[in-house]
Structures are given as C-alpha cells and as structure tokens.
C-alpha cells in the first residue's frame, strides 16, 4: 500500500496504474475510520482495480466554534486499518497542500446547499464542494464512493459533478449501523456512556415516524410527535426532522420520501436519514 502526502506523488502513482488500464476508485474521508468507511472501501474494491482512500480533515467545512481542532485524528491507526482492508493508496495531504492559495473567491456550483444541513451549517456545503472538487482533480478517479449516511452531501456532490462536467461516476453506499441502529460516525466517539445509550433512539423514532407517515398520518403531526419523543428521550435540541423528496430534497414529495434528521445529544450533533 502506498502512502502519499502530496498531489504530485499521488498523481504519478495513479498515472502508472492508468497506463496499465486500471480502473481507479476514490473514497474521500476525514479519518477516524470505522466500519462505515470500510463498507465504502469494500464497495470500491468490488467495482475498481485500484482503491485510493483520502484522509483529510477539511477546515473549510467547519465554522468557527465547531470541532475542527478536536475532530478525532489517528493517522497510524487509520493507515493500519486501510492496509488490513486492502486499500491500494492512501492520500494524506496537509492543509497547506490542499489550500496553497486564498480560497475566498472559490464558489463551487452547489444547488440546495442552503436547506436542511445548510440551514444550520451555512458554510458546510461550500467547504465540501471545494475539497471534493480538489480531490477529484488531484486523483482523477473513474469512480468516487460516498455514504448515504450523509444523504444531502451525496446529493449535492452528484449535482455539482454533473454541473462541472467532471468525468467521474459518483456512487452512493448504504448507511452502516451499530446493532442497536445507531448510524456509525466518527463523532460517536464524543458520546458519554449515558448519551451512547440514548443515541439509538434517533433511528428508532425515525422508523416509527416513517411507519406513521406510510399509514397516512399528516406530516406535521408525525414530525411534531417525533420531535417531542426525541426531547423526552434526552436529546437537547432538534435542528430538523423532515420528510423530503428523495431526489430534490425539497418538502414537496414528487418521487419517494426520505426522512432526514439532525439532533443534539449534549454537545454532540447526530445526523441520520432513512428511506420511507
Ligand atoms: P467522514 O469521514 O465522516 O467525512 O465520511 C467519509 C465518507 O464515509 C462519507 O462519504 C460518509 O458518508 C461515509 N460514511 C460515514 N459514516 C458512514 C456510515 N455509517 N455508513 C456508510 N458510510 C458512511
């Protein structure tokens, strides 16, 4: 397994594989790797010859006061996990490598980046758009794999890549969960023992909401009840709990519905989404 820190090294390695006719897959991550990330590596291995995993905690997608400095980082452990799981290349650039110039004027073409997550983290999708565009340029993969755990992010990236005409196939992979239903996330490391016990209630309550929705209960009533249940379970605040169109993410449901949520457990913000 090759570990590269600069985009020149990465590109030289990729060009060699491309010259041999190999199909290249990219799996972008922020590290603190878990089984959710590994499911993307596994899917990528099944659909490509060479799997590149990038590890980069991207400063532009964090706002002032968010967890950029405290985000869990363990490079040696992540590299060992990737070696075990058969990744071919690990790309671990520094902030200077990814951001050698001032980025104030960079605006990626993002649609619907101001709803749901964007309403509560207005900086977020701009940062994601910038870093994903850079990674796609540097790696030039044939395919890139993202988790449905971050459903809106997947949707925004698909649309951005289409808009920019980037020659890459974006592939979404299902959310991996703990046995009790909690979606795997690097931020679950922040939960106290007590909070970890409550955390699966998010997925459980969302499933109950989906069932009520399917039975025809009006959306406003389902959402109000769901919010009350979350607060009663011990969640401190609910940022959003909404049924959206699974394609447009708008409230008007034209194809199928998707339920998306973000809620605070103490100082940890959990997000989740399910098919309805
Ligand atoms: P992150 O390191 O949190 O930025 O995530 C890197 C990639 O892994 C993103 O495409 C995420 O959507 C994906 N991912 C994170 N958690 C999960 C999970 N529980 N199941 C599937 N994919 C995940």
């Amino acid at each position: 397994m090759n570990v590269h820190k600069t985009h020149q090294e990465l590109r030289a390695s990729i060009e060699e594989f491309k010259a041999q006719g190999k199909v290249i897959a990219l799996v972008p991550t922020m590290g603190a790797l878990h089984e959710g990330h590994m499911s993307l590596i596994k899917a990528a291995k099944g659909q490509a010859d060479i799997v590149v995993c990038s590890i980069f905690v991207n400063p532009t997608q964090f706002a002032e006061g968010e967890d950029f400095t405290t985000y869990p980082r363990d490079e040696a452990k992540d590299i060992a996990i990737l070696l075990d799981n058969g990744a071919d290349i690990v790309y671990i650039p520094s902030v200077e490598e990814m951001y050698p110039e001032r980025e104030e004027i960079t605006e990626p073409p993002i649609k619907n980046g101001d709803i749901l997550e964007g309403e509560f983290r207005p900086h977020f999708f701009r940062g994601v758009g910038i870093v994903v565009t850079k990674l796609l340029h540097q790696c030039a993969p044939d395919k890139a794999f993202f988790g449905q755990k971050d459903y809106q992010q997947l949707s925004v990236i698909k649309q951005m890549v289409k808009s920019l005409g980037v020659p890459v196939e974006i592939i979404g992979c299902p959310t991996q969960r703990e046995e009790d239903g909690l979606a795997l996330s690097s931020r679950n490391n922040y939960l106290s023992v007590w909070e970890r016990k409550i955390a699966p209630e998010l997925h459980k309550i969302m499933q109950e909401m989906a069932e009520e929705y399917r039975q025809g209960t009006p959306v406003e009533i389902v959402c109000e009840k769901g919010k009350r249940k979350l607060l009663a379970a011990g969640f401190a605040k609910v940022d959003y709990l909404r049924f959206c169109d699974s394609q447009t993410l708008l409230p008007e449901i034209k194809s199928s519905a998707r339920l998306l949520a973000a809620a605070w457990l103490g100082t940890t913000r959990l997000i989740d989404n399910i098919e309805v």
Side-chain angles (χ1 to χ4, degrees), residues 28-30 34 36-37 40 71 146-147 149-150 174-176 184:
T29 79
M30 297 209 297
H34 50 64
H37 298 114
L40 303 188
Y71 195 84
F146 294 87
K149 154 83 178 13
D150 302 279
T175 303
Q176 303 298 307
L184 296 177

